[in-house]
Amino acid sequence: MTAGFAARYGPWALVAGASEGLGAAFAHQLAAHGLNVVLAARRADPLAALAKELPTDTVTVTADLSTMEGLAAVAGATAGLDIGLVIANAAYSPIGRFVEMDPALTRRAVDLNCRMPLDLAHRFLPPMVARGRGGFVVMSSLAGLQGSPPISTYAATKAFGAILAEGLWAELRGTGVDVLTCVAGAVSTPNLAGAKARPAPGTQTPEQVARAALRGLGHGPRVVPGLGMRVSSALMSRLLPRRAAIAVIARASRDLTPP
């Protein structure tokens, strides 16, 4: 799989939101497949430490991807590189009652979770189509399947990302470019560990989620990592009435506290 994966999605991959957790897991697995990796995130030290761990060539971009300046920094750092795979993983989730929240926080969630993958898609998909190969992964969440208090804005942005990726998957079929949304449930990242009292049933490791996403490329528009999460996805999106689904996610999120 490694040689074929590198031929289809190499020689360079871009991981947006690569400093820790899921982004770092993607970086390790892509490097194991032989891809060089561009690592983009806000914090320089974790990026530098991660780059030292990878066996392939790396470029680090310290940038706030919720800003146009940050996205421009990624564009500059990747100029001249043959980017064959993009992982749109960076995300921000303001937690709390919407009416009590600073609008700057919800705007940042929209800028990072929606504008970032949209900008990366505009920038990198046309060259991939021209070459006739490539891949684009948008990380989404089970929270985006229904209204999700107290992370209502985050959930809405994750719905946007999933639907965008599915539409692009359909548009680009037959071009050699694979688009996928990975709809993850609870993932044992540092952010989740700091926000919840105990892991939710079926919580996946970052390595499990990244592996499921990479295996899913080229096999359809959407993957939900983990059997338990696939059952939850079917239950929440197809079987339960909307009111019940919202109530379930509200109870599941009751341990969340502002960072």
Side-chain angles (χ1 to χ4, degrees):
M1 176 181 176
T2 297
F5 189 93
R8 185 168 182 81
Y9 301 115
W12 283 89
L14 165 65
V15 181
S19 58
E20 62 182 9
L22 188 52
F26 270 115
H28 277 287
Q29 293 187 27
L30 292 170
H33 282 302
L35 274 67
N36 304 314
V37 189
V38 179
L39 308 168
R42 286 189 304 160
R43 295 181 295 149
D45 290 346
L47 287 182
L50 176 60
K52 291 179 181 179
E53 297 172 359
L54 301 181
T56 54
D57 291 341
T58 61
V59 171
T60 61
V61 186
T62 304
D64 183 350
L65 301 181
S66 70
T67 67
M68 295 305 296
E69 293 80 8
L71 292 169
V74 170
T78 56
L81 298 180
D82 190 354
I83 302 293
L85 180 60
V86 173
I87 310 293
N89 171 67
Y92 174 63
S93 177
I95 303 170
R97 295 189 68 213
F98 182 87
V99 296
E100 298 170 355
M101 194 170 293
D102 183 348
L105 301 182
T106 56
R107 284 196 294 267
R108 180 168 186 263
V110 172
D111 287 341
L112 184 58
N113 304 356
C114 297
R115 185 171 65 186
M116 179 271 297
L118 190 66
D119 183 271
L120 296 182
H122 277 302
R123 187 170 304 280
F124 294 107
L125 285 178
M128 291 180 191
V129 171
R131 290 194 303 270
R133 62 177 183 84
F136 197 97
V137 177
V138 179
M139 288 305 304
S140 185
S141 168
L142 291 181
L145 298 181
Q146 67 291 298
S148 301
I151 51 172
S152 297
T153 302
Y154 170 82
T157 65
K158 293 287 117 174
F160 172 87
I163 298 304
L164 173 66
E166 290 180 343
L168 295 177
W169 168 83
E171 288 190 30
L172 298 183
R173 291 189 73 185
T175 67
V177 179
D178 301 317
V179 182
L180 175 79
T181 180
C182 179
V183 183
V187 185
S188 54
T189 63
N191 286 339
L192 181 67
K196 293 187 71 70
R198 59 182 180 274
T203 295
Q204 299 273 292
T205 66
E207 292 73 22
Q208 288 173 317
V209 173
R211 190 176 301 113
L214 297 181
R215 285 178 176 171
L217 266 175
H219 299 287
R222 174 183 291 227
V223 65
V224 180
L227 176 60
M229 294 304 171
R230 289 194 290 275
V231 172
S232 296
S233 172
L235 180 67
M236 300 294 282
S237 62
R238 301 177 188 174
L239 301 179
L240 286 180
R242 298 300 288 179
R243 180 177 296 188
I246 294 168
V248 167
I249 198 69
R251 286 195 297 272
S253 303
R254 64 181 179 270
D255 292 335
L256 291 172
T257 54

